Amino acid sequence: MTHKSSEAVSPDDPAEIGRRVLRLRGERGLTQRQLAEPAYTAAYVSTLESGRVRPSEAALRHLAERLGVSYEELATGRPAHLAAELRLRLTDARRALATGAPEDAAEFFRTVHEEAVTHSLTEEQADALLGLGDCLLESGELTDARDRFAAAERLLADQPLPRRVPAVRGRATAHLLSGELRYACYLLESTLDELDAAGLHDPEALLLLYTASIAPYMDMGAHARAAHAAELALALAPRVDDPALVAGMHRGVARTLIAEGRIAEADASLAKAQELYRQLHIRTELAHCHWMRGYVHAQDGDLEHAENELRTARGILASKRAALFTEQVEVELADVLRRRGKTDEAEALLRPLLTAGDEEEGGAGPLGAGRGAVHAGGAHRLLGLIAEERGDTERAEEHYCAALSLLERSSAVGDLADLCRLLGDLLRRAGRVEAAMDAYRTGLGHRAAPGTTTLGPAPATPPM
């Protein structure tokens, strides 16, 4: 299958084939008669070279043998084994992304994509676009990342749905990182329902979707759905051979265990993921494991170990120049630093993350609406707490209101409720009782029936 613009010429167009035959015959110094005999005539070769006839497979195989090229190269213009070579280069590009900076890996993916486009290799085009999308996610260029994933999905429109699932997951992740939690859930859930309706219960596709859905569910306060997705992912894991998918599952499941207070189990799940990522040399995901283990220690009150894990995660991500993830982990590190009494260091870490507002929505730049909205809200919340501790209630209110605006747009229910409590308490202490009541009501409204008022019916459960 080929995808091309209306102006593009297909490589198997009769005129294109004719030009290739003419060029190759000239390079080899053959006459039309020499090329044609004994099976065909010189007149037939002349007609073919002028593009006035579409050659049969038998004719192409005869001509390819006489010209000393493969049938595929003569029929399509692609050098022999090009697709296999591009697949190897895609593997190298993936390795570069796992171990190095996203912009460096992106160059490999772009080169493969250009060559795949030249030779109308749709599968390789799509996989190069998926790789480019992942590079852009790491660097924080979320709008461009979404565009690459959407382009890959369009290229694979005629392929079975499981083949398109990585592109859907990529788009959902970009929306999640932009702060569009509800839409991320919609993409993942509608794809799960589509797979179920078509009877396409592919274990890898299902595992990818269920694992990806845990984070937006948790941020939206839909803890029951997150736990159910984690249970299904655990059940699917033994049927999946890809260790990176299994590692991702363990990391996602850990988040639901943390929410249930099962700290030791969460840490064990993260240890499994960490070991797999270490073996696979996938440094970004390894950093995410350190990041989440830092969160586990912070939840357990072990702030010293939490700080160590978060600094390790930050170091790995910064060395890879994974800008958005580095900024997000800095918000969580600042939270731990504040709780450890290192207020000035926490503030110095937070302020640059919010500098210049949201001028480049969706692209690389400071945290804010369209780029790390949930963590931007978290940064404003922390700055509000720091200001309140210093007695600057006016500045604290400004930060709390900025955080409220960001979190309401993202539907991060749990964080919203906590923030409304902080704002309400601040206003109540200032004697502004009515405003405080409004803040409390806002928080209660967002906490009402999480996962049912904010989301539609749960996706169908596949047969296991």
Side-chain angles (χ1 to χ4, degrees), residues 18-39:
R19 279 191 281 272
R20 275 197 294 276
V21 172
L22 178 61
R23 175 177 56 80
L24 291 167
R25 181 174 65 79
E27 289 172 358
R28 285 150 180 75
L30 297 173
T31 65
Q32 290 178 335
R33 183 179 300 279
Q34 287 171 328
L35 179 59
E37 292 180 342

Side-chain angles (χ1 to χ4, degrees), residues 24-93:
L24 291 167
R25 181 174 65 79
E27 289 172 358
R28 285 150 180 75
L30 297 173
T31 65
Q32 290 178 335
R33 183 179 300 279
Q34 287 171 328
L35 179 59
E37 292 180 342
Y40 299 94
T41 65
Y44 175 74
V45 171
S46 176
T47 305
L48 188 155
E49 288 181 346
S50 66
R52 296 197 303 272
V53 64
R54 176 179 291 277
S56 66
E57 180 181 337
L60 279 177
R61 291 193 181 280
H62 166 80
L63 296 172
E65 183 179 352
R66 299 284 287 164
L67 292 166
V69 298
S70 70
Y71 164 76
E72 181 187 12
E73 185 171 353
L74 187 60
T76 67
R78 299 171 194 144
H81 312 301
L82 175 64
E85 289 171 12
L86 291 182
R87 304 303 303 178
L88 287 173
R89 285 162 57 190
L90 284 168
T91 300
D92 291 340

Side-chain angles (χ1 to χ4, degrees), residues 266-288:
D267 199 47
S269 190
L270 286 170
K272 291 176 186 174
Q274 211 164 341
E275 181 56 31
L276 285 168
Y277 287 134
R278 193 175 285 113
Q279 291 172 8
L280 295 167
H281 305 290
I282 304 178
R283 297 182 67 225
T284 300
E285 301 300 339
L286 181 61
H288 277 80

Side-chain angles (χ1 to χ4, degrees), residues 209-373:
L209 292 168
Y210 282 123
T211 299
S213 67
I214 290 172
Y217 282 156
M218 292 297 293
D219 286 342
M220 291 186 69
H223 293 170
R225 287 202 189 182
H228 185 57
E231 289 173 12
L232 293 171
L234 282 165
L236 286 161
R239 297 163 56 191
V240 171
D241 295 326
D242 186 342
L245 287 183
V246 174
M249 179 275 299
H250 283 301
R251 185 159 64 85
V253 166
R255 188 164 178 189
T256 67
L257 296 172
I258 294 167
E260 295 169 5
R262 296 158 65 182
I263 302 299
E265 292 173 71
D267 199 47
S269 190
L270 286 170
K272 291 176 186 174
Q274 211 164 341
E275 181 56 31
L276 285 168
Y277 287 134
R278 193 175 285 113
Q279 291 172 8
L280 295 167
H281 305 290
I282 304 178
R283 297 182 67 225
T284 300
E285 301 300 339
L286 181 61
H288 277 80
C289 289
H290 283 291
W291 179 354
M292 193 171 286
R293 291 188 93 170
Y295 179 76
V296 169
H297 289 308
Q299 292 291 100
D300 206 28
D302 187 351
L303 298 181
E304 182 180 356
H305 280 100
E307 182 180 341
N308 291 338
E309 289 284 3
L310 291 170
R311 286 192 185 279
T312 299
R314 182 193 183 203
I316 296 171
L317 293 168
S319 71
K320 286 188 87 274
R321 304 202 292 277
L324 178 58
F325 296 142
T326 303
E327 293 161 1
Q328 290 180 326
V329 81
E330 284 174 345
V331 174
E332 301 203 20
L333 175 58
D335 184 29
V336 170
L337 291 171
R338 187 192 70 83
R339 291 168 63 186
R340 296 198 74 192
K342 303 176 182 181
T343 305
D344 290 343
E345 189 179 350
E347 188 175 17
L349 202 58
L350 291 168
R351 289 205 177 278
L353 304 180
L354 302 171
T355 303
D358 307 317
E359 294 171 1
E360 299 182 45
E361 183 166 330
L367 293 176
R371 187 177 184 275

